[in-house]
Amino acid sequence: MDNYELLVYEDLQSLARACAQMVLEASQQAVKAGRKFTIALSGGNTPATLFKTLAAEPYSTQMPWASTCVFWGDERCVPLYDENNNAHNAIELLLSRVNIPPENIFRIPVNLPPAKAAEQYENELKAFFETNPPQFDVILLGLGNDGHTASLFPASAALKEKNRLVLANYLHGPNVFRITLTYPVINAAHKIVFMVSGKTKSTILKSVLQDNKKQYPAQVIQPEHGKLIWMVDKDAAQDLQAV
Ligand code: 6PG
């Protein structure tokens, strides 16, 4: 994998602070350009520290929340109140604690059947963004130990999607549906930012960044026009060869 910036931090706390600063600066650029700041949040556990950082000073007051529009890169097909729901956690840790207008929060409607949820979210993206595919200012991503990102899992149908913006992706192992943004949307973003933390991710991070033998879904994240940034902590980076 090439054409990316790798930033290594002492620990998750300092990674989250740096990511919060990057989000703030990107939001200020968008507002200065006279438009809304659009960000798609990642799911899973890693972003929790970032959410807490953004919910605290100085970000809680410095962020232009009234001009910030929050979306999700993917969602589990579990009820909106379920603690495994990505939006539930972001709202709990961040969005319920800052002055963001409710109409600026675009949850993936997993109360609908998966295909309907994907279709409705896709229509919301098409209605909100002027460009096709939508160009987010920032898309945050995590990295799974199988090399998945968002809900683009190995051997899943969504990996082949070149036109749809949002898909209901069936995962054969756990026999569940996930709703996910597709590569065309993610790769159109101005800034694509992976946050990877912990020793348990060191092997997959090395494979994704430095092994070209096997292709992982995360390796297909290649920005069309924007920047790809890997923000990782030292534990996750422990196996990377110095280049
Ligand atoms: C999800 C995610 C997923 C996640 C990775 C890493 O809904 O689970 O969007 O892609 O980012 O699985 O998850 P952790 O941060 O929990 O390791």
Side-chain angles (χ1 to χ4, degrees):
M1 194 177 204
D2 49 20
N3 190 20
Y4 62 86
E5 185 178 8
L6 174 67
L7 301 172
V8 183
Y9 298 92
E10 189 61 32
D11 51 31
L12 179 54
Q13 196 66 41
S14 46
L15 189 167
R17 271 197 302 273
C19 192
Q21 189 60 30
M22 180 278 296
V23 168
L24 173 63
E25 288 165 12
S27 68
Q28 291 169 334
Q29 280 168 9
V31 169
K32 204 168 159 197
R35 54 186 171 73
K36 298 278 188 194
F37 170 59
T38 55
I39 182 169
L41 302 179
S42 56
N45 302 312
T46 304
T49 310
L50 169 66
F51 297 157
K52 291 174 190 166
T53 304
L54 286 169
E57 290 293 354
Y59 304 102
S60 54
T61 47
Q62 286 184 2
M63 275 289 294
W65 295 113
S67 303
T68 295
C69 293
V70 176
F71 299 77
W72 275 267
D74 73 320
E75 190 53 279
R76 293 89 178 273
C77 290
V78 294
L80 301 177
Y81 56 79
D82 186 311
E83 63 181 19
N84 290 309
N85 181 284
N86 291 330
H88 171 84
N89 292 326
I91 290 166
E92 188 72 25
L93 296 174
L94 170 58
L95 301 176
S96 62
R97 300 169 190 270
V98 293
N99 293 326
I100 186 168
E103 63 270 21
N104 286 20
I105 300 172
F106 297 80
R107 292 185 75 153
I108 297 175
V110 288
N111 49 308
L112 300 174
K116 273 273 171 236
E119 186 187 343
Q120 177 167 314
Y121 206 57
E122 177 164 303
N123 290 338
E124 282 184 34
L125 293 181
K126 285 179 177 172
F128 183 94
F129 288 89
E130 287 159 15
T131 58
N132 185 23
Q135 271 188 305
F136 282 88
D137 289 296
V138 175
I139 291 189
L140 297 177
L141 293 172
L143 178 65
N145 278 310
D146 58 0
H148 81 260
T149 191
S151 282
L152 299 164
F153 282 79
S156 65
L159 300 186
K160 303 185 191 73
E161 185 54 51
K162 301 273 185 278
N163 299 305
R164 290 287 304 277
L165 307 179
V166 185
L167 272 188
N169 200 22
Y170 185 68
L171 309 183
H172 290 283
N175 294 330
V176 293
F177 274 100
R178 292 269 193 108
I179 310 298
T180 188
L181 295 187
T182 57
Y183 284 125
V185 182
I186 297 172
N187 286 337
H190 291 294
K191 269 199 176 81
I192 307 169
V193 182
F194 278 92
M195 290 189 293
V196 188
S197 167
K199 286 186 169 57
T200 61
K201 297 289 176 72
S202 63
T203 304
I204 188 61
L205 184 65
K206 174 180 170 38
S207 300
V208 165
L209 293 185
Q210 297 182 340
D211 295 347
N212 293 322
K213 289 190 287 296
K214 184 173 178 231
Q215 187 170 69
Y216 297 97
Q219 289 172 320
V220 188
I221 300 296
Q222 293 289 343
E224 294 294 330
H225 314 286
K227 280 184 76 175
L228 173 57
I229 306 168
W230 286 82
M231 300 181 91
V232 307
D233 65 14
K234 275 170 77 173
D235 282 345
Q238 66 181 11
D239 295 339
L240 293 182
Q241 307 292 332
V243 285

